Amino acid sequence: MTTNRKIAGLTGFAALALLLSACAPAAVPGATETATPNPSASRAAVPTPPPEPEPGIVWPLTGMDATEASAEDLARPALSIKIENSKEARPQENLDKADVVFEEYVESGISRLLAVYHSDVPESVGPIRSMRPMDKNIMGSMEGPLIFSGAQARFVNETINSGQKVITQDRGDAGFYRTSDKPSPHNLHGYTSSFFEQAADMSAPPVQWGIVEAGDEPTSASGDTVSNIKIHMSQYSNPSWTWDNSAGLWMRSEDGNAHVTSGGDQIGASNVVVLDVTVKYTSSSGGSSVPETIVAGESGEGTVASGNTSIPIKWSKAGQYDPWVFTTEDGDPVELLPGKTWVELIPNKGVSNSTSVDFS
């Protein structure tokens, strides 16, 4: 299970093997050449037991094998980047490389994405768009920088004052550039190498939730078999997921069409986590009122689909920098499959339009 694996490096058993070897009887020089006139019963030395197998190194956000990763890559921080998801912004660049993606409800019911990159880092990503007040609470447990372009000054100040490091195009931070394939503001992209340089003082993310070892069954295996997840967030946002048995992944669509990247690859995930959340509108003092998904200090219900099975769950998040906690209805920890995870934050109250999620 997850507790049997090491995230940052291997722990040797050399000291144990050395101690056991020292305890074994020493060989007698020339024993094979010495006659024994009076044979007597003897007991063979107990062989030194083989060392226990080393626990594997895995990436903390995906649970995937990381034995070939360098120490430098394992130690790098996770980049949490705001990605636009309007029709004008699609297809996005390298969105399929993110370890974790949170989908959130913003103005008019359009969805905005918070993509977290750590294990599979592309050269560049985009389009990068503006931050919202809930973003610091959604990604705070990742312990890396929040990267965006644009936001109301009060939200930026609140985020910085909370202790969250930000990298933003608005104040001239490095790494941002515009492409020619889309009109502004849907064409702002960023170089991950530059973002890592600006976050050199930050460390790797901790494990966010339970992940089973490769080959083991996830917690959802005790639940229902499912092959489709249809989400209605608003008239502008209707994502869906279809289980692809040959790929062993949930494949994502938008409005019935395959959600592909600029490279032509359809986005897939091993785990789709759907959480019922409350949305509250901010005050208009100091700027326009916007919908804020409330997660810090909150709890609720949801559903986890790992592989082609799903179970109802409960979720909680104690504070901005506290991890997400997923449990079964009986309170047992939920363990996901190794691989990429999408977290759908679906309002169950606080917005003017109706929302729905259908598992079938």
Side-chain angles (χ1 to χ4, degrees):
M1 304 302 285
T2 305
T3 54
N4 293 330
R5 296 174 295 169
K6 186 175 180 184
I7 302 302
L10 296 177
T11 302
F13 291 87
L16 175 59
L18 181 60
L19 177 61
L20 291 173
S21 297
C23 294
V28 178
T32 56
E33 301 175 359
T34 304
T36 304
N38 297 308
S40 59
S42 63
R43 183 174 60 187
V46 177
T48 301
E52 295 182 18
E54 293 277 4
I57 305 175
V58 297
W59 293 101
L61 301 185
T62 66
M64 299 294 286
D65 179 68
T67 53
E68 299 299 319
S70 67
E72 181 181 8
D73 287 347
L74 287 167
R76 66 191 173 203
L79 305 178
S80 295
I81 306 177
K82 285 305 297 291
I83 303 294
E84 185 179 4
N85 194 40
S86 65
K87 289 183 178 180
E88 295 80 5
R90 297 194 293 265
Q92 297 98 336
E93 181 189 25
N94 290 319
L95 180 58
D96 59 323
K97 307 299 185 187
D99 288 355
V100 182
V101 179
F102 295 90
E103 184 164 22
E104 62 188 27
Y105 183 105
V106 296
E107 294 87 331
S108 301
I110 296 172
S111 81
R112 193 63 61 84
L113 307 175
L114 183 55
V116 185
Y117 295 86
H118 185 243
S119 69
D120 187 6
V121 180
E123 180 181 358
S124 59
V125 299
I128 300 174
R129 287 299 298 272
S130 56
M131 182 263 288
R132 293 295 184 273
M134 61 274 203
D135 292 334
K136 65 182 185 300
N137 298 320
I138 292 174
M139 56 69 60
S141 59
M142 304 290 172
E143 299 184 1
L146 175 60
I147 302 165
F148 60 92
S149 172
Q152 294 184 35
R154 56 177 174 159
F155 301 147
V156 176
N157 291 335
E158 288 172 1
T159 299
I160 294 174
N161 291 339
S162 73
Q164 175 60 54
K165 182 180 180 66
V166 303
I167 299 174
T168 174
Q169 185 251 2
D170 304 78
R171 66 183 183 190
D173 292 343
F176 297 90
Y177 70 97
R178 293 197 181 275
T179 62
S180 59
D181 60 332
K182 300 183 183 78
S184 179
H186 313 293
N187 61 349
L188 184 69
H189 292 235
Y191 293 113
T192 57
S193 59
S194 180
F195 298 152
F196 280 124
E197 289 177 3
Q198 296 170 77
D201 59 335
M202 308 187 82
S203 57
V207 173
Q208 298 296 303
W209 36 66
I211 302 175
V212 299
E213 289 187 358
D216 288 350
E217 289 188 334
T219 305
S220 65
S222 63
D224 299 325
T225 299
V226 291
S227 57
N228 292 283
I229 306 172
K230 294 183 179 180
I231 299 172
H232 174 68
M233 190 177 288
S234 74
Q235 62 177 322
Y236 301 109
S237 181
N238 293 282
S240 61
W241 297 87
T242 301
W243 176 251
D244 185 328
N245 198 57
S246 61
L249 293 172
W250 286 100
M251 307 308 294
R252 181 178 166 89
S253 296
E254 288 276 4
D255 294 316
N257 300 311
H259 188 173
V260 299
T261 66
S262 56
D265 298 315
Q266 186 174 6
I267 294 168
S270 297
N271 309 289
V272 179
V273 181
V274 181
L275 304 183
D276 294 335
V277 297
T278 297
V279 168
K280 294 182 180 179
Y281 277 74
T282 64
S283 71
S284 58
S285 176
S288 60
S289 178
V290 300
E292 178 180 3
T293 300
I294 309 300
V295 295
E298 296 294 320
S299 61
E301 299 178 345
T303 304
V304 162
S306 291
N308 65 335
T309 58
S310 70
I311 57 166
I313 66 164
K314 295 181 179 180
W315 69 267
S316 64
K317 197 173 191 299
Q320 176 180 345
Y321 296 107
D322 293 297
W324 292 86
V325 176
F326 302 146
T327 67
T328 65
E329 293 182 310
D330 294 330
D332 297 323
V334 169
E335 292 188 309
L336 310 181
L337 282 173
K340 301 182 186 301
T341 298
W342 272 64
V343 182
E344 304 280 5
L345 302 173
I346 308 303
N348 62 3
K349 60 181 178 180
V351 297
S352 58
N353 62 273
S354 61
T355 64
S356 64
V357 181
D358 178 60
F359 288 79
S360 61

